[in-house]
Amino acid sequence: MDTNITAKKEAGFKKFIRKLLFKREFALIALIILFSLALGINYDTFLTVGNLKATAIGMASDTILAIGMCMLLITGDIDLSVGSTFALAGAIAGTTLVAGWPVILCVLAAISVGLLVGLINGFVIEKLKVNFFIATLGMQGIARGVTVILAEGGIAFLPQGFTWIGQKTFLGYQLPVWIMLFLILVFGVLLAKHRYFRQLYYIGGNVKAATLSGINVTKVKFALYILMGGLAAFSGILSTARFGSAISTAGTGSELRVIAASVIGGCSLSGGEGTVLGIFLGTVFMSLISSALVVTNVSVYWHSIVTGLVLVCAVAFDTFIKNKRVSFSN
């Protein structure tokens, strides 16, 4: 009798652990709450309305980038040029605004450049068959170089007709926060429900099987790189409008933060996994870490080190989870 009770308890515990392993979002929410409470208890300024608003606006740009990165990671690819595309779009917007172009044309020009970067990435990777890591790393250098040429000394004092996009507030929060939430909702629903976006999981799970089932893998990935370029450009425009200036160093390190947030949120580097809710929670966690470093007066030079450590730990944890899933399924 005791043996049966013990066996049932073990089976129940095993089932509970399996649920946790497959629902990383729950664990992330708990971690975010505990982390916030711990810092709030030790530092009075951490849980203030002002700091929470600053954290929300600070994570808006990275979250928009992470949405595109999430979809690429689900298919098993990565785009390392997002930070440079982000900065290039801001430089294009700033340059054209200073030249006297209408605001709408400046925004369209900046987004078009982002789409073009994505188009080139897709062509090089899917048509020329260059490894995505090498192709996007090369594009990272090219886009950053063009940005430095356009905005070497910075482009400041941009017109209010443009900056309101990033500075106007609604219910106490700046517009980029609301735009971020809107995009999370839209792409969250699309990725979870729309047949076209559900294909990404099949591609990431087994690209050969996806091809044999009739999915045009090349066409889908091509479209994803273009979408990623457009999202990076849009995020760069919002950031430029928020600060009222375009600088050549904008978006530096974004790739590292976004990939770390995506992996923490449940995306696997081997593809086939990830949700928009997960990457949003991952971005929240990364933003809380950044905010904690500021509140605790840690030197800015340590921020990249901490981000790198978080990424390595996230990948190691992802590998651990995968191994545990295999063992629990047996």
Side-chain angles (χ1 to χ4, degrees):
M1 189 70 175
D2 292 339
T3 304
N4 291 334
I5 294 173
T6 303
K8 286 181 179 179
K9 286 182 177 179
E10 288 180 355
F13 178 73
K14 191 173 182 180
K15 186 177 180 180
F16 173 72
I17 294 296
R18 187 184 293 114
K19 285 183 178 180
L20 285 181
L21 293 177
F22 279 89
K23 294 291 183 182
R24 189 180 301 190
E25 290 88 350
F26 295 149
L28 260 178
I29 291 171
L31 182 61
I32 288 168
I33 292 172
L34 291 173
F35 186 72
S36 300
L37 289 176
L39 282 168
I41 292 170
N42 290 283
Y43 299 93
D44 295 336
T45 57
F46 187 77
L47 289 179
T48 60
V49 174
N51 189 57
L52 292 177
K53 285 185 177 180
T55 301
I57 187 63
M59 65 178 280
S61 294
D62 279 356
T63 302
I64 294 171
L65 292 176
I67 291 171
M69 190 67 75
C70 170
M71 290 185 281
L72 279 174
L73 283 168
I74 290 172
T75 65
D77 282 19
I78 292 177
D79 187 349
L80 296 177
S81 66
V82 292
S84 297
T85 306
F86 174 99
L88 178 58
I92 292 294
T95 302
T96 51
L97 283 166
V98 170
W101 289 27
V103 172
I104 186 64
L105 288 182
C106 297
V107 172
L108 289 174
I111 292 178
S112 297
V113 168
L115 294 173
L116 177 61
V117 169
L119 178 68
I120 294 171
N121 280 336
F123 179 79
V124 172
I125 294 165
E126 295 303 320
K127 296 297 183 180
L128 301 184
K129 302 302 178 183
V130 176
N131 178 271
F132 63 83
F133 183 87
I134 299 300
T136 58
L137 185 63
M139 180 56 74
Q140 179 190 72
I142 294 168
R144 183 66 65 179
V146 175
T147 303
V148 171
I149 293 171
L150 292 175
E152 183 177 2
I155 304 170
F157 307 110
L158 299 180
Q160 190 175 2
F162 170 76
T163 58
W164 73 271
I165 306 170
Q167 297 177 1
K168 190 174 180 61
T169 59
F170 176 70
L171 298 178
Y173 289 88
Q174 289 171 275
L175 279 183
V177 175
W178 297 107
I179 293 171
M180 170 192 73
L181 294 175
F182 174 74
L183 291 176
I184 288 170
L185 178 62
V186 170
F187 282 100
V189 171
L190 288 175
L191 200 56
K193 301 296 183 180
H194 198 281
R195 191 172 69 87
Y196 181 86
F197 287 91
R198 295 299 299 171
Q199 294 179 118
L200 309 186
Y201 293 98
Y202 297 115
I203 294 171
N206 190 323
V207 67
K208 289 185 178 179
T211 303
L212 291 173
S213 66
I215 297 173
N216 191 328
V217 176
T218 297
K219 188 176 180 180
V220 171
K221 286 193 175 185
F222 213 115
L224 284 182
Y225 276 105
I226 294 173
L227 177 61
M228 179 75 261
L231 287 172
F234 183 60
S235 181
I237 290 167
L238 290 178
S239 179
T240 302
R242 175 192 166 200
F243 292 108
S245 62
I247 57 174
S248 60
T249 57
T252 302
S254 293
E255 301 89 355
L256 193 63
R257 294 193 304 272
V258 168
I259 293 171
S262 299
V263 175
I264 290 171
C267 290
S268 174
L269 294 181
S270 57
E273 299 177 35
T275 63
V276 172
L277 174 61
I279 63 99
F280 171 64
L281 293 173
T283 310
V284 171
F285 183 69
M286 291 298 297
S287 297
L288 288 176
I289 290 176
S290 179
S291 181
L293 293 174
V294 172
V295 170
T296 54
N297 294 318
V298 175
S299 171
V300 68
Y301 299 110
W302 283 89
H303 290 204
S304 293
I305 296 174
V306 172
T307 303
L309 286 172
V310 170
L311 176 58
V312 172
C313 291
V315 174
F317 180 71
D318 180 62
T319 304
F320 172 77
I321 289 293
K322 282 192 169 184
N323 292 335
K324 284 297 179 182
R325 285 178 180 175
V326 173
S327 65
F328 273 107
S329 62
N330 294 330

